[in-house]
Amino acid sequence: MKLRSLFHELKHGDPQAIAVMSVLVFVATSMWFSWNLYASSRRAAPEIGEGRARPPQPTPTPLSTFVLAQQEMKVGEEPPNPFHLPYVRRRPPVRPDRGDRPDRPVRPPPPPEPEPEPEPETPPPPPRETVTYVYRGMIRRPDGNRAAMIHNPMTGNSVFLQAGAEIPPLTLVNVDMETLELLGEDDMPVTLKRGEPQTFTLPR
């Protein structure tokens, strides 16, 4: 009942009074804990009195005993100076005997380069073609112009040509009863007689 009435008073009481009371309770609690810690530390510390035995003190060692002990210690050899090492001549490495080792494979020489093929010779130009003409006769046209009948025995063809016509490699210039006047290469005059075959070389 007291606790319930206390909480009821705190709940409906003055906030300022509650804050002051809380501070007082906190200060009192801190002082109580501090006093308990101090009292327990005083009870744990031993008090030195006449009836209590002191801890044994270490006996000092005489100086002469210490000097003798230092003289009896064995001192090791002086370590060598790493900057003044004796010179040691290095021996050359001994090569292993190659008798037991298999010989290295010998690379075969490269194959010889093939000889360049000779350039093919330029074939000679083909021979020039030839043609044969035969003058068979002449006819007179109604207009008065004369036409010569020229026969080709290789083909078996016959043609009638007037002056000025082309007959490879010739040009017909004049038609007469017995002969034909023509012009060949380089305007060379050529005469073709009636009934006599004559062979001419054609231009390339």
Side-chain angles (χ1 to χ4, degrees), residues 93-113:
V94 180
R95 294 184 178 181
D97 188 8
R98 296 179 58 90
D100 299 338
R101 296 177 59 186
D103 296 335
R104 294 182 180 179
V106 179
R107 180 179 299 178
E113 297 182 359

Side-chain angles (χ1 to χ4, degrees), residues 15-155:
Q16 186 174 4
I18 294 173
V20 172
M21 186 179 296
S22 299
V23 171
L24 293 176
V25 170
F26 175 75
V27 172
T29 305
S30 300
M31 292 178 65
W32 181 75
F33 275 107
S34 300
W35 172 256
N36 287 336
L37 290 175
Y38 176 73
S40 61
S41 61
R42 284 183 61 84
R43 287 193 300 271
E47 296 181 359
I48 300 174
E50 295 180 357
R52 296 182 179 274
R54 294 184 177 182
Q57 299 293 330
T59 303
T61 305
L63 181 59
S64 59
T65 305
F66 179 76
V67 172
L68 292 176
Q70 291 292 331
Q71 291 180 356
E72 291 179 356
M73 292 177 62
K74 294 183 180 180
V75 181
E77 298 181 357
E78 185 178 358
N81 191 349
F83 298 99
H84 296 282
L85 295 177
Y87 176 75
V88 179
R89 184 175 182 182
R90 296 183 179 180
R91 296 182 180 181
V94 180
R95 294 184 178 181
D97 188 8
R98 296 179 58 90
D100 299 338
R101 296 177 59 186
D103 296 335
R104 294 182 180 179
V106 179
R107 180 179 299 178
E113 297 182 359
E115 297 182 359
E117 297 181 359
E119 297 181 0
E121 297 180 359
T122 305
R128 297 170 67 177
E129 296 183 4
T130 59
V131 63
T132 302
Y133 295 120
V134 180
Y135 175 40
R136 290 289 180 86
M138 179 197 73
I139 62 172
R140 189 180 297 274
R141 293 182 179 275
D143 57 0
N145 293 327
R146 291 175 291 184
M149 181 183 180
I150 300 174
H151 177 70
N152 187 346
M154 297 180 65
T155 60

Side-chain angles (χ1 to χ4, degrees), residues 160 164 173 204:
F160 288 92
V173 178
R204 294 186 184 279

